[in-house]
Amino acid sequence: MSDSLVSTDRRSFLRAAAAGAATLAVPDLLRADPRTPRRQARPASPVRVRGQVRGDGRGLGRVAVTDGVTVVDTGADGSFELLSAADREFVAVSLPSGYRIPQSPTGTARLYRPMSVDNAGEMIAQFDLEPTHASDEDHALFLLADIQVQDMDEVGWFHEQTVPDVRALAASMGVAEVFGLSCGDIMYDDLDLYPEYERGVQQTGIPFFQVLGNHDMDYGFRGDHASHLTFSRHFGPRYYSFNRGQVHYVVLDDVFWHGVG
């Protein structure tokens, strides 16, 4: 056998071996034959969610409510009924224009209720909204990209530099509505620092929305299904929307964790 033929066969073998190793490293779902139906997980127990969206004590009609999969509009009296499932995490309202952004004690936006099912397989969810009493047509959005603190030194910079700057600029804007949005990579992998971010948000004096970034995920899980748990424990749903004036804002989770070994 010639040297050139041996060399060619060796290269072919190495390419095939590398491809095989790469395939083994890919999760089953990604390397499965797309023509072969995959086994479906057992459906979660159904949950009937009923409730009302109210503004200034009165029912608000045509407000969207969702469990992250199904969306319904409230009736004229603000009432809604949503057929959901026990594996959904939250029920959330798409905040209409003209109403203040509800906040958690730390200042982060709270448009949601955690899924809580009673013995009858039902949940009651009520959302009480407060009118702004001023138009939010003219509003300002502070977009914080990649805060990405990874240790207490960088947390200090966030508190000593970023937070005062945001607070001062927000006070000088001269508009009725000012809010913030941290658009991913709030942390740099150390999710134990989330409370420090929340403390900073509280000090800015304006409500903040959050978006999940790839450095905001739990990496200890095999797959994407639980990679958001710490983020959601602090900030709620990864998919939601809200309105300010004539603008409809939509927040999405566009990162996928393939999982560990």
Side-chain angles (χ1 to χ4, degrees), residues 17-32:
T23 301
L24 290 174
V26 175
D28 292 341
L29 178 58
L30 297 182
R31 66 171 184 261

Side-chain angles (χ1 to χ4, degrees), residues 89-92 110-115 123 125-128:
E89 297 175 89
F90 303 99
V91 176
R110 188 177 176 88
L111 307 179
Y112 62 92
R113 301 287 183 270
M115 183 66 76
M123 173 183 172
Q126 182 165 301
F127 297 90
D128 288 297

Side-chain angles (χ1 to χ4, degrees), residues 91-171:
V91 176
V93 62
S94 184
L95 182 69
S97 298
Y99 291 88
R100 296 185 185 279
I101 299 169
Q103 295 174 252
S104 69
T106 61
T108 55
R110 188 177 176 88
L111 307 179
Y112 62 92
R113 301 287 183 270
M115 183 66 76
S116 178
V117 186
D118 63 21
N119 292 333
E122 297 190 354
M123 173 183 172
I124 301 297
Q126 182 165 301
F127 297 90
D128 288 297
L129 306 178
E130 180 184 352
T132 59
H133 300 301
S135 173
D136 55 10
E137 291 287 337
D138 185 14
H139 62 266
L141 164 63
F142 282 70
L143 188 67
L144 298 189
D146 288 38
I147 300 171
Q148 214 165 43
V149 294
Q150 63 177 330
D151 54 37
M152 289 306 295
D153 284 340
E154 295 186 2
V155 165
W157 302 340
F158 174 65
H159 287 299
E160 295 162 12
Q161 300 175 25
T162 305
V163 170
D165 285 350
V166 170
R167 185 172 57 242
L169 188 56

Side-chain angles (χ1 to χ4, degrees), residues 1-18:
M1 185 178 294
S2 69
D3 291 342
S4 61
L5 183 57
V6 171
S7 178
T8 299
D9 288 345
R10 184 174 182 275
R11 286 197 299 270
S12 299
F13 170 76
L14 291 175
R15 282 197 297 268

Side-chain angles (χ1 to χ4, degrees), residues 208-240:
F208 260 82
F209 295 92
Q210 286 70 223
V211 182
L212 180 73
N214 62 295
H215 288 288
D216 297 317
M217 295 165 40
D218 295 282
Y219 292 125
F221 294 96
R222 187 181 179 89
D224 192 57
H225 68 287
S227 62
H228 64 281
L229 291 181
T230 301
F231 177 91
S232 289
R233 188 168 66 251
H234 286 270
F235 310 120
R238 297 163 291 149
Y239 301 88
Y240 57 93

Side-chain angles (χ1 to χ4, degrees), residues 16 23 32 50 52 109 173 249:
T23 301
R50 294 180 295 169
Q52 188 181 36
M173 294 297 294
Y249 293 89

